[in-house]
Amino acid sequence: MDDVSVDQLQALAGVGALLDAQRIAHWVFGGWAVDFHAGVVTRAHDDVDVAVWMDDRERVARLLEGDGWRHAPSEDDDGGTGYERGKVRLELTYLVGDRDGAVFTPLRHGRASWPDGAFGDEVRELFGVRARVIGRAALARGKSSPRDDPDDASKDRADFGVLSALEEPGSS
């Protein structure tokens, strides 16, 4: 594991502990969630993706800034924002639930729906770091349709391959 991956994993542990201490629900998603499900670091990651409820965004901001994270939004931010500390970039994505129980991320021009079952209580461990992650089926569903950007599409295909090779829970 390279130094950046070590730093990102330590950041995940610290942010998770910080949010857990304040009982703020959060879930790791994206490439790091793939790694937690696989039990191994499968590739280098540009950032750490964490989803939180939009209602908690101000509390989360205060906690992160109090822990040395610097708010670092990018012009591409839509549905969340970024923070940086050292070499680690943390991407927060905001969640909202509608009256029917569907979960989505509000965007400038609509909303991005999350699959049913994405946000449960599943906790996985990777190199001694425990993290609540989005459900594997929901993660695989998201990775099964690669994004438009060629670099992102390549990561999505690789992540989907890793997730597809994992044994179904309860089988064996």
Side-chain angles (χ1 to χ4, degrees):
M1 191 164 42
D2 65 15
D3 290 345
V4 173
S5 296
V6 169
D7 290 347
Q8 289 173 337
L9 194 56
Q10 289 174 345
L12 262 173
V15 168
L18 194 65
L19 298 177
D20 282 342
Q22 296 299 311
R23 298 177 189 246
I24 296 174
H26 60 283
W27 296 265
V28 175
F29 68 100
W32 274 107
V34 172
D35 292 356
F36 274 92
H37 281 285
V40 64
V41 176
T42 60
R43 62 176 173 82
H45 302 284
D46 297 327
D47 56 25
V48 175
D49 297 304
V50 176
V52 297
W53 293 109
M54 182 171 263
D55 288 346
D56 291 326
R57 72 182 178 278
E58 290 177 13
R59 288 176 57 210
V60 171
R62 281 192 304 273
L63 287 169
L64 290 174
E65 289 169 3
D67 195 42
W69 290 89
R70 179 182 60 82
H71 188 218
S74 74
E75 60 186 48
D76 296 335
D77 284 353
D78 191 10
T81 194
Y83 287 84
E84 293 178 351
R85 188 172 71 186
K87 298 176 189 172
V88 178
R89 179 158 179 89
L90 173 67
E91 290 284 339
L92 287 183
T93 296
Y94 300 129
L95 306 172
V96 175
D98 68 14
R99 283 183 262 207
D100 298 325
V103 177
F104 64 93
T105 295
L107 303 174
R108 282 184 216 109
H109 303 289
R111 62 192 230 176
S113 296
W114 289 82
D116 290 341
F119 304 104
D121 293 325
E122 185 168 359
V123 174
R124 304 291 246 161
E125 187 170 323
L126 181 63
F127 297 109
V129 174
R130 294 173 52 82
R132 183 178 301 122
V133 296
I134 69 168
R136 191 177 99 204
L139 183 59
R141 220 170 302 140
K143 295 289 188 176
S144 68
S145 299
R147 293 168 282 179
D148 293 334
D149 177 79
D151 291 336
D152 290 338
S154 176
K155 290 185 244 181
D156 289 344
R157 283 190 294 275
D159 289 346
F160 183 72
V162 169
L163 293 166
S164 297
L166 297 176
E167 216 176 277
E168 285 295 320
S171 67
S172 55

